[in-house]
């Protein structure tokens, strides 16, 4: 029997963008924001959900922005700086989740043995089986992609049932809701529609990978208290991205 066959527990990958770690509109780290996310993750883990968390780093460094603001000559250098920023977030999250009494492991795609374990797929799976929250840092360990792609990749290789993307907005909109007040929020969209209409959800590499592997993605706001826990436990919050609307989710409010 395969790994997935032996496993009856819900396993998810939660992508936390760097924004989750700071106060709204600010950069850096904010203890209160990190603490409340940690509580929701810890609650879900205690309820038996196997949780892998892929952390972003945009609250500290975002590669492209750094190239502009610091005049960094090699964009890949900025990307490596961005990956290291995710490790800082991962350690902050680890501390906060463990202070809730739930065991965690940080696994990093860029080796730094003194700080965290290296990312090894089978080791990550084993930690998840043991009920530890696995925090995945440093993206995929290579430049030119974002942590969204890392999240889609890890969700695929770790056989997660769904990729949960916690972000600033509460789902997928027809346009940027922070700029266009007439933007409409969708309950369900297909991968195809996101790619064709260039809807800003995740980068196209991440969406393409999700489509290829039939990995459903739930996009929702981390700003609404309780949303992360609800999503982790299987509630449909925000917008579902998939090939077809699953039968068990009821009628959507708006379908693209
Ligand atoms: N990054 C990278 N490779 C990866 C993941 C991240 O080069 O596999 C770099 C990239 O420059 C990115 C930065 O790290 O801008 C921070 O990650 P991201 O922008 O995805 O963070 P988020 O938007 O989720 O806060």
């Amino acid at each position: 029997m395969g790994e997935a066959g032996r496993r009856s527990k819900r396993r998810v990958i939660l992508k936390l963008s760097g924004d989750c770690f700071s106060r709204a509109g600010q950069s850096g780290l904010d203890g209160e924001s990190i603490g409340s996310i940690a509580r929701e993750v810890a609650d879900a883990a205690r309820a038996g959900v196997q949780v892998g968390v892929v952390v972003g780093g945009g609250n500290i460094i975002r590669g492209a922005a750094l190239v502009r603001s610091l005049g960094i000559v090699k964009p890949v250098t900025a990307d490596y700086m961005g990956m290291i920023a995710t490790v800082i977030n991962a350690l902050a999250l680890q501390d906060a989740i463990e202070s809730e009494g739930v065991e965690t492991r940080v696994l990093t795609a860029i080796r730094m043995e003194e700080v965290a374990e290296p990312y090894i797929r089978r080791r990550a799976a084993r930690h998840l089986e043991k009920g530890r929250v696995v925090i995945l840092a440093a993206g995929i360990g290579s430049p030119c992609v974002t942590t969204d792609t890392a999240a889609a990749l890890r969700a695929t290789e770790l056989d997660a049932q769904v990729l949960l993307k916690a972000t600033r907005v509460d789902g997928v909109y027809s346009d940027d809701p922070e700029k266009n007040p007439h933007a409409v929020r969708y309950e369900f969209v297909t991968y195809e529609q996101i790619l064709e209409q260039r809807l800003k959800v995740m980068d196209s590499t991440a969406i393409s990978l999700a489509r290829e592997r039939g990995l459903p993605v739930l996009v929702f706001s981390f700003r609404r208290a309780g949303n992360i826990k609800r999503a982790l436990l299987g509630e449909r919050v925000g917008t579902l991205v998939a090939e077809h609307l699953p039968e068990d989710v009821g009628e959507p409010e708006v379908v693209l």
Side-chain angles (χ1 to χ4, degrees):
M1 202 189 292
E3 243 177 76
R6 284 197 303 271
R7 181 162 52 79
S8 57
K9 286 233 163 134
R10 174 172 169 78
R11 179 180 291 178
V12 302
I13 291 292
L14 171 67
K15 160 70 207 294
L16 295 178
S17 74
D19 297 325
C20 299
F21 293 81
S22 56
R23 229 175 248 279
Q26 295 183 9
S27 57
L29 295 162
D30 173 54
E32 220 173 279
S33 309
I34 299 167
S36 72
I37 288 174
R39 272 190 294 284
E40 295 192 30
V41 172
D43 281 352
R46 269 192 292 263
V49 181
Q50 296 184 2
V51 188
V53 186
V54 171
V55 289
N59 58 317
I60 301 171
I61 284 172
R62 188 162 278 129
L66 206 65
V67 170
R68 284 192 299 274
S69 63
L70 281 189
I72 293 236
V73 178
K74 281 200 176 299
V76 292
T77 301
D79 284 339
Y80 280 108
M81 292 166 78
M83 283 184 268
I84 290 167
T86 72
V87 181
I88 295 174
N89 285 337
L91 294 177
L93 185 66
Q94 172 169 54
D95 187 76
I97 295 175
E98 295 209 329
S99 73
E100 294 294 321
V102 169
E103 227 188 313
T104 69
R105 291 289 186 274
V106 173
L107 271 60
T108 169
I110 293 180
R111 285 177 172 260
M112 34 181 114
E113 272 80 351
E114 287 77 5
V115 174
E117 294 178 22
Y119 175 76
I120 296 169
R121 189 190 71 82
R122 297 179 77 109
R123 189 182 275 191
R126 189 78 190 110
H127 288 318
L128 289 169
E129 278 159 17
K130 288 187 170 174
R132 297 169 182 147
V133 172
V134 172
I135 304 169
L136 300 158
I140 64 165
S142 295
C144 307
V145 296
T146 67
T147 50
D148 282 351
T149 298
L153 183 65
R154 298 304 185 226
T156 301
E157 60 184 323
L158 291 169
D159 285 322
Q161 286 103 358
V162 64
L163 168 55
L164 306 171
K165 181 179 157 77
T167 184
R168 283 207 309 247
V169 285
D170 60 348
V172 180
Y173 281 78
S174 55
D175 196 3
D176 185 345
E178 288 175 351
K179 291 182 187 143
N180 177 359
H182 304 295
V184 179
R185 185 171 75 87
Y186 302 117
E187 291 286 302
F188 170 76
V189 283
T190 64
Y191 310 110
E192 204 69 42
Q193 286 164 323
I194 287 180
L195 292 169
E196 268 174 16
Q197 297 173 29
R198 295 173 186 269
L199 297 173
K200 288 204 181 74
V201 183
M202 303 172 98
D203 59 83
S204 55
T205 316
I207 285 294
S208 301
L209 181 58
R211 179 176 63 170
E212 229 165 77
R213 299 296 171 149
L215 170 72
V217 181
L218 196 69
V219 183
F220 62 95
S221 168
F222 63 83
R223 294 249 162 87
R224 199 166 291 174
N227 248 6
I228 289 181
K229 181 175 168 185
R230 279 200 285 276
L232 288 169
L233 293 175
E235 210 176 295
R236 196 172 147 219
V237 287
T239 300
L240 178 70
V241 185
E243 195 69 62
H244 307 287
L245 186 63
E247 282 156 19
D248 59 342
V249 294
E251 279 301 303
E253 278 167 28
V254 183
V255 178
L256 250 187

